[in-house]
């Protein structure tokens, strides 16, 4: 039997590179463990003695997955958590319980788990792992481009039907799902877990601390704050603001900005100003619930349905054979959970009317290439709108949740829960709008608005928002000059792109510093806040 531990590529991130901060990025995605022992456990979990072949599958951001082939040809998938995936023990324990619940209670096409362990410090492998079935079928990404329009509509229909099962099985609290035994020995629990009135084969499900990504990323894992479970939605919404307060107090102003901020004459975020806005948010958080209570249900939801997480029958791609990657899935109010599947997203305008999208009236006068683009846009709009209308007819709570997300209340919640890396002028502007529209939101007999912004405060917000927007636009210009980079780019590139993109970033950095100011001391200040690598890193 080969020694699998000699294969260095099994343990390190090998799919791509980073133009800057590469050492820390790869460290967060590398994990050393005993692959020989994992192979033994995988074979034993399906009643076999020997694993003959291990293949590393394409890497995601948070895990490593391996296809393991046994002596008789049977195959299983082994999943090992990267350090950046979430809270140790909790994220794996919750994923396993969630998969079991989705498979055996909701009857969704989810892989069966054969073996798992979330205690890396004490298990024989030395890492958190899950051994599961290899999903039948192929990734949707391999069929979608060649599927007919009617097939795509039927697939969207099938996804919406599956999501109805989430809505039909609400929970009594907000958090993440676990087996009860996996929470009994947790230290420093701020809250008791909540029982769920169902169980399987001596396993009792409970709701415990959330494993949602936004409770862990951007170094939030370093901070102690209440992770739930939460019994009421107002408590949960307030906890989002309190969480961001704790993180800002400990971590300071995050360097992961949406714009180029902090240079001479630009917008300069401060801890004090960010905390002041969060305190205002917490004053109104309990009033931000949708008026339509149908979307108040606390539900499980798979929020990452991109084309590689949906498996279909290769002979009939309208048949879904598997849904994978349930890591960090949580229970939360439907009005925050519901979303269009990622594979339906597209560049271009969304169709707002309730009538079906149509080709433009001047279609006949367009060039052949323009007509082709118009047809692609029409189909994308039709699929996007079909999902919305399907829910309007057959799953109204989801439709109500999707519509709520366009409102001022939803925008305030969205800004608040990502405020560690967000801009206070944006959230404060929304809170000012809330004060101005308070009567419409709570009714004439509602409570008085807890927020009272003076004219001076409003003018300061407008001035700071203009500076914020200038920094945001500067960021967009820099990213366009670099190439395909998007806001929030962390330097990730393919192996082929590494040298040319690194050279391009060097050029853009030099040009930016040359044009941003004629004064050397100011250019030096801008060089300190340049987010895409130091001069030394880019050499």
């Amino acid at each position: 039997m080969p020694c699998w531990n000699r294969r260095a590529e099994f343990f390190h991130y090998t799919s791509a590179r980073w133009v800057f901060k590469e050492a820390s990025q790869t460290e967060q995605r590398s994990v050393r463990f005993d692959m020989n022992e994992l192979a033994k456990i995988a074979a034993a979990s399906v009643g076999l003695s020997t694993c003959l072949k291990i293949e590393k599958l394409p890497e995601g951001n948070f895990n490593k997955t391996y296809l393991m082939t046994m002596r008789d040809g049977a195959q299983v998938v082994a999943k090992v958590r990267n350090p950046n995936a979430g809270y140790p023990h909790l994220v794996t324990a919750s994923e396993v319980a969630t998969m079991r619940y989705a498979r055996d209670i909701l009857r969704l096409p989810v892989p069966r788990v054969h073996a798992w362990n979330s205690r890396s410090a004490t298990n024989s492998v030395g890492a958190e792992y899950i051994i599961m079935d290899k999903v039948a079928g192929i990734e949707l990404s391999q069929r979608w481009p060649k599927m007919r329009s009617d097939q795509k509509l039927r697939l969207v229909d099938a996804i919406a039907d599956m999501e109805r099962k989430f809505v039909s099985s609400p929970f009594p609290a907000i958090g993440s799902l676990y087996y009860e035994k996996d929470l009994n020995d947790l230290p420093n629990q701020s809250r008791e877990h909540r029982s769920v009135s169902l169980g399987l084969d001596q396993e009792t499900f409970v709701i415990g601390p959330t494993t949602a990504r936004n409770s862990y990323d951007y170094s939030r894992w370093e901070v102690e704050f209440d992770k739930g479970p939460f019994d009421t939605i107002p408590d949960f919404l307030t906890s989002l603001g309190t969480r961001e307060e704790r993180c800002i107090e400990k971590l300071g102003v995050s360097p992961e900005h949406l714009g180029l901020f902090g240079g001479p004459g630009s917008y300069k975020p401060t801890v004090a100003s960010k905390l002041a806005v969060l305190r205002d948010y917490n004053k109104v958080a309990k009033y931000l619930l949708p008026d339509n209570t149908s979307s108040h249900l606390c539900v499980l939801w798979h929020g990452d349905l991109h084309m590689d997480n949906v498996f279909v029958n290769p002979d009939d791609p309208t048949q879904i054979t598997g849904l994978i990657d349930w890591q960090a899935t949580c229970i939360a109010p439907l009005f925050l959970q519901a979303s269009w599947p990622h594979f339906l997203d597209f560049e271009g305008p969304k169709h707002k009317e309730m009538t079906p999208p149509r080709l433009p009236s001047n279609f006949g006068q367009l060039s052949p290439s323009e007509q082709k683009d118009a047809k692609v846009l029409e189909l994308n709009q039709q699929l996007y709108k079909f999902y919305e209308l399907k829910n309007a007819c057959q799953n109204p709570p989801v439709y109500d949740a999707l519509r709520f997300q366009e409102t001022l209340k939803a925008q305030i919640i969205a800004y608040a829960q990502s405020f560690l890396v967000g801009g206070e002028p944006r959230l404060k502007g929304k809170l000012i709008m809330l004060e101005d529209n308070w009567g419409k939101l709570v009714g004439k007999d509602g409570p008085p608005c807890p927020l009272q912004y003076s004219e001076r405060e409003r003018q300061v917000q407008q001035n700071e928002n203009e500076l914020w927007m200038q920094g945001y636009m500067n960021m967009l210009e820099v990213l366009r000059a670099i190439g395909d980079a998007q806001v929030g780019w962390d330097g990730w590139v393919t192996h082929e792109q590494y040298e040319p993109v690194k050279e391009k970033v060097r050029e853009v950095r030099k040009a930016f510093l040359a044009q941003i100011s004629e004064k050397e001391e100011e250019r030096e200040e801008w060089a300190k806040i340049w987010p895409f690598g130091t001069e030394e890193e880019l050499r």
Side-chain angles (χ1 to χ4, degrees):
M1 182 173 134
C3 180
W4 306 113
N5 290 333
R6 296 174 181 170
R7 299 277 299 275
E9 72 275 11
F10 281 165
F11 311 105
H12 302 290
Y13 188 87
T14 57
S15 295
R17 296 193 64 179
W18 281 266
V19 172
F20 51 91
K21 298 181 181 178
E22 186 167 42
S24 62
Q25 295 283 14
T26 54
E27 182 182 6
Q28 284 296 305
R29 293 162 180 83
S30 297
V31 55
R32 187 72 196 189
F33 58 93
D34 191 336
M35 181 65 87
N36 293 336
E37 182 67 16
L38 184 63
K40 290 179 184 178
I41 292 171
S45 73
V46 290
L48 299 169
S49 60
T50 306
C51 174
L52 293 182
K53 182 181 178 182
I54 300 178
E55 176 187 353
K56 186 180 181 184
L57 298 175
E59 288 178 279
N61 192 28
F62 302 106
N63 306 277
K64 297 192 178 350
T65 53
Y66 311 90
L67 180 62
M68 296 186 166
T69 304
M70 307 304 159
R71 184 179 295 280
D72 71 344
Q75 293 182 314
V76 295
V77 171
K79 181 176 184 178
V80 176
R81 166 193 170 276
N82 285 341
N84 68 334
Y87 294 102
H89 170 59
L90 293 179
V91 70
T92 299
S94 179
E95 181 176 9
V96 170
T98 300
M99 291 175 68
R100 180 80 182 280
Y101 177 85
R103 176 185 172 86
D104 292 346
I105 301 296
L106 299 183
R107 301 295 179 184
L108 294 174
V110 177
R112 183 187 303 276
V113 173
H114 295 285
W116 67 282
N117 194 298
S118 58
R119 309 285 188 173
S120 60
T122 57
N123 68 38
S124 59
V125 173
E128 298 181 34
Y129 64 84
I130 304 173
I131 309 295
M132 69 187 87
D133 282 336
K134 178 180 180 292
V135 177
I138 60 174
E139 293 95 334
L140 177 60
S141 58
Q142 296 186 43
R143 282 290 182 269
W144 184 261
K146 296 183 180 180
M147 288 170 62
R148 302 189 308 270
S149 299
D150 65 296
Q151 290 179 314
K152 292 181 177 181
L153 287 168
R154 287 164 59 194
L155 181 75
V156 174
D157 188 69
I159 289 288
D161 283 342
M162 287 183 179
E163 290 175 340
R164 289 174 65 187
K165 296 182 179 181
F166 294 137
V167 179
S168 66
S169 302
F171 290 87
I174 299 165
S176 287
L177 200 62
Y178 300 86
Y179 293 136
E180 184 175 33
K181 62 182 176 61
D182 292 315
L183 294 185
N184 286 338
D185 61 346
L186 283 185
N188 303 320
Q189 290 192 75
S190 59
R191 294 173 181 258
E192 294 294 324
H193 53 254
R194 301 293 180 265
S195 296
V196 180
S197 58
L198 51 89
L200 290 167
D201 300 336
Q202 309 305 314
E203 297 284 10
T204 301
F205 290 104
V206 297
I207 303 171
T210 184
T211 60
R213 294 269 184 240
N214 64 9
S215 71
Y216 184 85
D217 57 5
Y218 295 110
S219 298
R220 290 184 179 93
W221 60 271
E222 298 179 14
V223 184
E224 288 292 331
F225 54 83
D226 191 353
K227 302 173 184 66
F230 303 97
D231 290 326
T232 72
I233 297 176
D235 282 350
F236 172 65
L237 294 181
T238 302
S239 79
L240 298 177
T242 303
R243 179 194 73 197
E244 298 298 88
E245 281 188 57
R246 299 289 178 271
C247 291
I248 291 168
E249 286 170 347
K250 179 165 183 177
L251 301 174
V253 177
S254 172
E256 306 290 345
H257 293 309
L258 299 176
L260 292 171
F261 306 130
S266 71
Y267 171 68
K268 293 181 174 64
T270 66
V271 169
S273 60
K274 292 180 80 75
L275 292 178
V277 176
L278 280 173
R279 285 191 287 269
D280 283 349
Y281 162 79
N282 277 342
K283 292 176 184 177
V284 298
K286 64 182 180 181
Y287 302 108
L288 299 177
L289 281 69
D291 296 330
N292 191 328
T293 58
S294 70
S295 63
H296 291 194
L297 296 172
C298 296
V299 300
L300 200 65
W301 196 267
H302 195 309
D304 194 20
L305 290 181
H306 60 70
M307 290 192 187
D308 289 332
N309 282 344
V310 180
F311 281 68
V312 296
N313 184 331
D315 299 320
D316 181 3
T318 67
Q319 294 182 8
I320 299 171
T321 60
L323 300 176
I324 67 169
D325 196 2
W326 293 81
Q327 189 177 77
T329 302
C330 62
I331 299 163
L334 179 61
F335 63 82
L336 297 180
Q337 294 272 64
S339 60
W340 276 265
H342 286 328
F343 68 83
L344 291 182
D345 203 10
F346 63 95
E347 292 187 9
K350 305 300 188 289
H351 187 74
K352 298 296 185 181
E353 291 76 17
M354 294 301 288
T355 55
R358 293 285 185 261
L359 291 170
S361 57
N362 66 337
F363 181 77
Q365 285 74 54
L366 300 178
S367 68
S369 63
E370 290 173 331
Q371 289 184 350
K372 181 179 179 180
D373 291 343
K375 289 181 179 180
V376 170
L377 176 60
E378 180 196 31
L379 176 58
N380 287 337
Q381 289 178 330
Q382 287 176 346
L383 294 170
Y384 201 83
K385 179 58 66 173
F386 175 76
Y387 177 81
E388 180 182 356
L389 296 179
K390 165 80 175 182
N391 283 301
C393 296
Q394 299 184 13
N395 202 1
V398 173
Y399 175 75
D400 292 338
L402 294 173
R403 296 300 296 269
F404 172 74
Q405 290 166 11
E406 301 174 0
T407 66
L408 176 61
K409 290 180 178 179
Q411 292 168 5
I412 291 173
I413 297 170
Y415 277 122
Q417 67 181 345
S418 60
F419 200 63
L420 175 63
V421 296
E424 59 270 27
R426 309 298 287 171
L427 177 55
K428 189 169 184 176
K430 297 297 181 182
L431 292 173
I432 289 173
M433 291 175 63
L434 185 73
E435 181 194 348
D436 293 342
N437 292 275
W438 187 256
K440 297 177 184 177
L441 296 173
V442 302
K444 63 179 181 179
D445 297 323
C449 183
L451 304 177
Q452 301 291 330
Y453 292 109
S454 67
E455 285 302 317
R456 182 180 179 279
E457 288 176 302
R458 290 166 178 259
Q459 186 60 54
V460 169
Q461 185 275 329
Q462 290 182 19
N463 295 339
E464 290 184 340
N465 190 60
E466 290 177 4
L467 289 174
W468 190 94
M469 284 300 301
Q470 183 180 5
Y472 177 73
M473 296 306 296
N474 286 341
M475 175 68 83
L476 291 182
E477 290 181 14
V478 165
L479 292 171
R480 278 194 291 266
I482 290 173
D484 296 329
Q486 303 293 320
V487 173
W489 182 57
D490 63 358
W492 186 95
V493 291
T494 66
H495 289 282
E496 296 75 19
Q497 293 172 324
Y498 179 76
E499 288 298 341
V501 172
K502 193 172 185 179
E503 174 62 28
K504 188 65 176 178
V505 173
R506 279 197 296 264
E507 294 174 359
V508 173
R509 180 181 183 275
K510 182 178 180 180
F512 171 79
L513 294 177
Q515 64 86 29
I516 195 67
S517 177
E518 295 180 355
K519 299 179 179 179
E520 180 62 27
E521 61 272 19
E522 291 188 355
R523 288 198 294 269
E524 291 176 357
E525 289 299 309
W526 279 105
K528 292 177 182 178
I529 60 94
W530 173 260
F532 303 126
T534 64
E535 185 176 7
E536 182 178 353
E537 281 183 298
L538 297 173
R539 285 176 184 163

